[in-house]
Amino acid sequence: MADDPDRLNAPLPWHAACWERVCTLRETDRLPHALLLCGVRGMGKDRFARLLAHALLCETPADAAMPCGTCRSCRLTQAGTHPDLHRCAPEEDKSIINIDQIRAIGRFLELKAHYTGRKVVLIHPADQMNLSAANGLLKMLEEPPAGVHLILLSHRPAALPATVRSRCQRLTLALEDPRPALDWLARQPGIEPEEAAPLLALAQGGPLAAAELAAQGHLGRRQTMLQELQGIARRELDPLQVAENWLKFDAKASLYWLHGWLIDMIRLQAADRPPCVGNPDGLDTLSRLSSELKGPWLFTQLDRIAQALRLLEGPANAQLLLEEVLLPWAQREGERARVL
Ligand SMILES: [Zn+2]
């Protein structure tokens, strides 16, 4: 049976080592009161932090410090109404965590714990705190009341002020061995075993992000787009029509993918078997294309895409931008040389 991402009575397979580490810290009473939980997008940081909060608040923990799932505290956590658990995230339609939200944490910390004497605060994503919010949190990180655990989650911890980072103990979720994540992905509905590795690479190593990409049909869409790119280069397809197809899907995602393909083509020109490629799902087509195109021309296209992505942030005509990016691919060899 596929794993239910909301099932909170076990760590995800690739979290096992980190969970053991946390258990050891708990058993020896060394679990820090301020934890910075890091890891790429889609690594399951939120899931791990919720399980940890659940376990910390459980009144009768089971083996391996897992929450029992039946005590009063566990039932409240499962219902999302535990009074000793506070979640802080950007408000709806906002991307920033502001100082008022940090003050609310301060008020929460002043209250007496209801059940186990412990209280847990989750801040996610912590790197979205603005400067005054981050400054407001410093005092709490320095001297948290007894029994309080502050868990900050971030996939880009470098964006946090150094003052915040230095007051937290960092715990990084990573795929030291990708096999548990690949096995899990291969068991997810709609994913063929051979698709697990390319999906994981496409999601930059985040298994949950990889499963989401699969659910959105990205792997098949990418294959189609790469074939369309090859079709333009062979003058079999009209770049304006392809631009329209790409726009219907997602202009920005299309440009990011094209950017990634170009980087791999440059890598493939530098080495027959490059030690790392970002797009293993398109390797055959990328190899063929890279053998037909010149290195400097590929670099020119990288610049063109970077500029198009910048312009897309503003009120640009996305169809025109895609056309400008794709038209050079229809030029003949000699015309490509004149571009340089
Ligand atoms: Zn319990």
Side-chain angles (χ1 to χ4, degrees):
M1 198 181 83
D3 293 282
D4 173 358
D6 286 326
R7 205 166 57 102
L8 264 182
N9 58 359
L12 286 162
W14 59 93
H15 289 170
C18 245
W19 184 258
E20 253 179 57
R21 206 177 134 204
V22 164
C23 286
T24 307
L25 289 171
R26 278 193 75 186
E27 279 164 14
T28 51
D29 212 17
R30 286 182 297 133
L31 188 66
H33 289 284
L35 199 60
L36 174 56
L37 191 59
C38 308
V40 299
R41 226 187 263 269
M43 187 55 81
K45 296 182 294 298
D46 185 58
R47 159 79 179 245
F48 188 94
R50 282 189 298 138
L51 181 62
L52 179 55
H54 198 159
L56 284 167
L57 295 173
C58 173
E59 292 165 273
T60 51
D63 288 345
M66 294 303 298
C68 72
T70 53
C71 72
R72 234 173 358 165
S73 215
C74 277
R75 289 200 303 274
L76 286 167
T77 312
Q78 281 156 355
T81 53
H82 201 301
D84 298 330
L85 174 61
H86 183 94
R87 291 178 69 100
C88 176
E91 289 164 357
E92 207 177 335
D93 298 331
K94 299 218 168 86
S95 58
I96 294 297
I97 293 175
N98 62 42
I99 182 66
D100 288 339
Q101 292 175 274
I102 302 301
R103 288 189 185 122
I105 295 177
R107 291 193 293 277
F108 167 77
L109 295 186
E110 283 167 13
L111 301 171
K112 198 169 174 302
H114 289 71
Y115 295 101
T116 56
R118 281 186 288 274
K119 286 197 286 188
V120 182
V121 177
L122 302 180
I123 305 178
H124 186 201
D127 49 76
Q128 291 302 101
M129 287 188 288
N130 64 19
L131 197 57
S132 54
N135 286 335
L137 187 69
L138 283 182
K139 179 94 177 134
M140 298 175 211
L141 289 173
E142 264 168 14
E143 296 167 18
V148 165
H149 292 274
L150 294 154
I151 306 175
L152 283 67
L153 289 78
S154 175
H155 66 268
R156 40 181 210 127
L160 278 164
T163 45
V164 169
R165 286 200 308 269
S166 65
R167 284 164 176 79
C168 300
Q169 187 165 322
R170 191 182 294 210
L171 182 68
T172 302
L173 293 174
L175 297 183
E176 281 158 27
D177 174 1
R179 280 172 298 184
L182 291 172
D183 290 346
W184 176 85
L185 267 176
R187 291 199 307 275
Q188 300 309 299
I191 299 182
E192 298 298 328
E194 66 276 13
E195 291 175 339
L199 278 167
L200 193 59
L202 184 56
Q204 317 287 324
L208 298 183
E212 202 179 314
L213 291 179
Q216 293 164 351
H218 277 211
L219 217 49
R221 182 64 206 140
R222 278 164 55 83
Q223 289 298 339
T224 306
M225 286 168 65
L226 196 49
Q227 294 307 318
E228 286 174 331
L229 186 67
Q230 185 173 250
I232 298 174
R234 294 182 172 172
R235 300 178 69 85
E236 293 162 0
L237 290 176
D238 173 10
L240 305 188
Q241 179 58 53
V242 173
E244 202 176 317
N245 298 347
W246 289 20
L247 180 67
K248 272 186 208 150
F249 171 66
D250 182 332
K252 195 187 262 185
S254 306
L255 287 173
Y256 274 118
W257 287 351
L258 180 53
H259 192 269
W261 290 328
L262 277 163
I263 301 237
D264 274 351
M265 284 184 230
I266 291 165
R267 284 176 176 144
L268 286 160
Q269 287 190 343
D272 280 346
R273 291 171 187 268
C276 87
V277 288
N279 303 277
D281 56 328
L283 208 50
D284 290 345
T285 311
L286 292 171
S287 293
R288 273 195 301 278
L289 276 170
S290 77
S291 67
E292 294 165 11
L293 300 164
K294 291 202 162 46
W297 185 86
L298 292 174
F299 278 105
T300 309
Q301 304 318 306
L302 272 183
D303 290 343
R304 206 182 284 268
I305 295 169
Q307 192 189 3
L309 280 167
R310 268 197 304 278
L311 291 170
L312 259 189
E313 297 298 327
N317 181 326
Q319 168 82 24
L320 275 181
L321 287 178
L322 286 170
E323 288 174 5
E324 280 170 19
V325 163
L326 290 175
L327 273 167
W329 290 78
Q331 289 163 342
R332 291 181 192 283
E333 185 62 32
E335 292 169 330
R336 283 201 194 109
R338 279 204 295 279
V339 171
L340 304 177

